[in-house]
Amino acid sequence: MTVSPDRPVATPHGGDRVAASLQAHGVRCLYTLCGGHISPILAAAKARGIRIVDVRDEATAVFAADASARLTGIPGVAAVTAGPGITNTITALKNAQLAQSPVVLIGGAAPTALQGRGALQDIDQRPLVAPHVKRFIKVRRVRELGPAVDEAFALALDGVPGPVFIECPIDVLYDEALIRGWYADAAGKGSTLPDRALRWYLNRHAERMFAGSHGPIAPQVRAVALPQASDGSVQAARAALAKAERPLMVIGSQAVVRAADAQRVAEAVARLGVPVYLSGMARGLLGRQHPLQMRHQRRHALREADCVLLAGVPCDFRLDYGKHVRRSATLIAANRSAKDARLNRRPDVTAIGDAGDFLQRLSADARPAAGWTAWADQLRQRDAEREREIDAQAARRGEHVNPVALFRTLEQVAGDHAVLVADGGDVVATASYVMRPRGPLTWLDPGAFGTLGVGGGFALGVATSRPDAEVWIVYGDGACGYSLVEFDSFVRHGLPVIAIVGNDAGWTQIAREQVKMLHDDVGTVLARSAYHDVAAAFGAEGIEVRTLAELPAALARARAVAAGGKPVLVNVWLDPTEFREGSISM
């Protein structure tokens, strides 16, 4: 039977209500690992023209939804089965929560009448999930399904964005006749008083569960108000900048949570004329070569600045808990979260609201001070000196490939529409020093949680949200092990992702400090595994690189393969490096 995209399947069921709301909210892809508890949602979503992207690990589905949300500004949606399907998502959920990414996770559950009685995959899911989401929504009746989705989308975007969970028991998703048949079979045909009582109870339960579910499906897309900082805080920040001789901005992911506004935020930053460091999803906001963007020696710059604006950035470990900003400096914090704005350091100006909107309002009639030019030149000179040092480190030759030279080469080879997904420790941190994201929303890393294993899911989210992008995963060989199996998903769904595995046969970020401090490499040693052969076994192309001389041709070959529609993995053997000596974080 052929079903038009805007009509439900012939026999309506609860899954239709979920799918109708997803469609109304602009969802184009649903990320999932199949399970009988959620099958009606998948079938109904497919019937409505929503692309079903099934993966090999439930965490991957949530990572993909997370990446989609970051790039589109529309909450990303994943659906997983009950019990272990949900427990497998916890790390990805927590990562989305700490990255403030709007994700809607739909999870199956045991039948409402059998919960707590030992049904298949029946556990109390609320205590496991609730700490990691903004709201745990438990559906008990069919008519609640659509409103639950509508509420979840509004909650995910409201205030500080984050994940929301909807629990959908299996018996609210399948059609009424089928469920009543299941209940009739469960009740049996016995004539004893307990048998009759059970039949009465199950019939009564079904009546309540399906009550009000026969009317039309009418999704309600709720408008979510933009949280705006007060006019007073904008004026106070403008006055503080006007007095500053050495102002500095640090802009983070929260400033671009409204993806459609990213270009306007970039224009606002340019108008302000303040030197800026970009982090998280804000990397690439100003393109590759903007003169206001600084890349190196951020700690020194913060200590020298007399006015620091943190836009969507908390004073956590990445800013040494606020100690990078000197006490005599005027600190301005623009953040949707009052807690994050005041974390570890009380600002002189607190602007509670959307950081991107704050920057746009702050830049109105902006007049950069003439004295800032010398300050910016000083920072640029320091950047140039650091770039020369990196060039010198990249020039060092060894038996295999210098990690710095790897990313210097990749920086030259990757296309203008490249989106970079970072998944790893030492290798990815090196890439972040060297690579220059091409434009707004073209760099994805896990965020504050530092989660390994995001690569496969993030790449899926990027490739399905931006089908014209050239998608690169930069893997450490340790991180690669988490999602290497998703090359099967890339192949099945025709997603031409390019993965670079920096293969140094170890968990190098840990080993570097562990060996120095404890004189033992226990648990940090890996093999020079043939990751390219694993990718090839899934139907992708695998390329191995053991020397620097082989690298340019291998990367050119990878781009050509991906341009032809096939995913590819380049397994690059790396030499040891001291590039990030002494970089342990805690």
Side-chain angles (χ1 to χ4, degrees):
M1 177 180 65
T2 301
V3 182
S4 62
D6 59 345
R7 296 187 63 186
V9 293
T11 304
H13 49 64
D16 294 319
R17 294 179 173 272
V18 174
S21 285
L22 296 180
Q23 183 183 44
H25 285 86
V27 174
R28 298 175 62 186
C29 288
L30 175 60
Y31 306 98
T32 189
L33 198 159
C34 67
H37 290 86
I38 57 167
S39 292
I41 296 174
L42 306 185
K46 178 185 175 184
R48 289 179 176 269
I50 297 172
R51 183 176 183 180
I52 306 301
V53 182
D54 60 304
V55 299
R56 300 297 297 272
D57 186 310
E58 285 91 354
T60 296
V62 178
F63 286 136
D66 182 345
S68 174
R70 298 186 194 198
L71 295 184
T72 67
I74 298 171
V77 184
V80 301
T81 197
I86 288 168
T87 59
N88 285 344
T89 69
I90 297 299
T91 296
L93 265 184
K94 176 57 74 173
N95 192 79
Q97 182 190 51
L98 294 181
Q100 300 178 349
S101 189
V103 169
V104 174
L105 176 59
I106 301 171
T112 54
L114 296 178
Q115 290 181 8
R117 299 180 62 191
L120 175 66
Q121 298 181 334
D122 180 28
I123 57 172
D124 186 358
Q125 296 172 160
R126 184 186 294 273
L128 291 168
V129 176
H132 316 298
V133 296
K134 295 181 72 173
R135 184 78 57 83
F136 184 105
I137 301 173
K138 190 179 183 72
V139 174
R140 301 293 293 179
R141 293 174 174 82
V142 176
R143 68 173 183 266
E144 298 170 358
L145 285 165
V149 175
D150 299 337
E151 181 183 12
F153 268 75
L155 284 169
L157 291 169
D158 188 44
V160 179
V164 178
F165 181 84
I166 308 172
E167 183 182 85
C168 299
I170 187 172
D171 50 351
V172 303
L173 293 177
Y174 281 87
D175 70 85
E176 182 174 357
L178 179 63
I179 295 303
R180 287 187 178 276
W182 286 355
Y183 281 2
D185 290 342
K189 299 180 179 180
S191 58
T192 66
L193 181 60
D195 291 333
R196 295 198 302 271
L198 178 59
R199 283 196 296 274
W200 178 87
Y201 167 75
L202 290 176
N203 185 64
R204 175 73 172 170
H205 183 83
E207 290 292 339
R208 288 197 301 268
M209 190 168 63
F210 288 102
S213 65
H214 302 100
I217 300 174
Q220 300 292 322
V221 178
R222 305 182 190 178
V224 178
L226 175 68
Q228 290 190 304
S230 67
D231 290 338
S233 65
V234 174
Q235 293 298 332
R238 187 175 289 139
L241 285 174
K243 295 177 182 177
E245 296 179 357
R246 297 180 305 281
L248 197 67
M249 292 194 295
V250 182
I251 300 177
S253 299
Q254 200 193 84
V256 292
V257 71
R258 290 164 58 89
D261 283 355
Q263 188 57 48
R264 286 188 285 273
V265 174
E267 293 165 359
V269 173
R271 283 194 300 272
L272 285 167
V274 176
V276 61
Y277 287 88
L278 303 173
S279 65
M281 286 298 296
R283 289 178 184 268
L285 181 65
L286 301 180
R288 298 169 74 175
Q289 303 291 343
H290 199 284
L292 286 176
Q293 182 181 348
M294 309 302 158
R295 301 179 185 276
H296 305 299
Q297 308 290 349
R298 185 176 72 178
R299 178 182 302 183
H300 295 301
L302 284 167
R303 287 175 176 169
E304 294 167 350
D306 60 1
C307 180
V308 175
L309 167 57
L310 303 181
V313 178
C315 285
D316 60 12
F317 71 93
R318 292 166 291 186
L319 292 179
D320 197 19
Y321 307 98
K323 288 185 286 185
H324 285 177
V325 181
R326 66 181 187 178
R327 289 292 173 182
S328 60
T330 300
L331 180 61
I332 305 165
N335 205 294
R336 289 184 178 223
S337 166
K339 177 182 177 182
D340 284 355
R342 300 181 175 95
L343 186 67
N344 296 311
R345 183 77 181 264
R346 184 168 291 277
D348 298 286
V349 178
T350 306
I352 304 304
D354 181 74
D357 175 75
F358 175 82
L359 290 172
Q360 292 177 69
R361 292 164 62 199
L362 184 64
S363 72
D365 301 320
R367 294 180 179 85
W372 295 354
T373 302
W375 162 239
D377 287 344
Q378 176 187 334
L379 296 177
R380 278 193 289 271
Q381 181 178 355
R382 188 180 293 163
D383 259 24
E385 291 172 358
R386 180 58 177 147
E387 287 292 332
R388 287 191 289 271
E389 292 174 359
I390 293 173
D391 284 338
Q393 289 172 306
R396 296 173 185 173
R397 296 293 179 259
E399 182 182 1
H400 300 299
V401 179
N402 179 331
V404 185
L406 165 62
F407 294 114
R408 275 287 194 245
T409 306
L410 180 56
E411 169 62 25
Q412 296 168 2
V413 169
D416 292 337
H417 299 288
V419 178
L420 305 170
V421 171
D423 187 8
D426 201 65
V427 167
V428 164
T430 301
S432 71
Y433 276 97
V434 177
M435 299 295 296
R436 296 172 181 255
R438 276 49 182 156
L441 305 174
T442 58
W443 171 278
L444 286 85
D445 61 32
F449 203 28
T451 308
L452 296 187
V454 303
F458 275 16
L460 276 160
V462 174
T464 50
S465 299
R466 290 191 182 174
D468 295 332
E470 184 178 273
V471 184
W472 296 80
I473 310 175
V474 175
Y475 273 129
D477 54 346
C480 175
Y482 287 90
S483 63
L484 184 57
V485 69
E486 298 303 346
F487 265 84
D488 171 74
S489 303
F490 299 152
V491 170
R492 286 186 297 105
H493 294 291
L495 304 175
V497 171
I498 308 170
I500 305 295
V501 179
N503 189 343
D504 57 7
W507 300 91
T508 303
Q509 181 164 289
I510 306 304
R512 178 177 288 115
E513 301 302 324
Q514 178 178 308
V515 172
K516 182 190 298 182
M517 294 187 292
L518 302 175
H519 312 292
D520 198 328
D521 65 1
V522 60
T524 67
V525 179
L526 296 172
R528 296 274 193 183
S529 299
Y531 302 107
H532 57 293
D533 286 343
V534 178
F538 283 123
E541 177 147 339
I543 303 172
E544 185 180 48
V545 173
R546 296 197 181 193
T547 67
L548 184 60
E550 301 167 354
L551 183 62
L555 295 180
R557 170 64 183 164
R559 288 191 72 203
V561 169
K566 186 177 183 181
V568 58
L569 183 147
V570 185
N571 182 19
V572 183
W573 284 34
L574 298 182
D575 283 322
T577 177
E578 297 178 355
F579 184 70
R580 299 190 63 250
E581 194 73 25
S583 58
I584 191 169
S585 296
M586 63 182 67

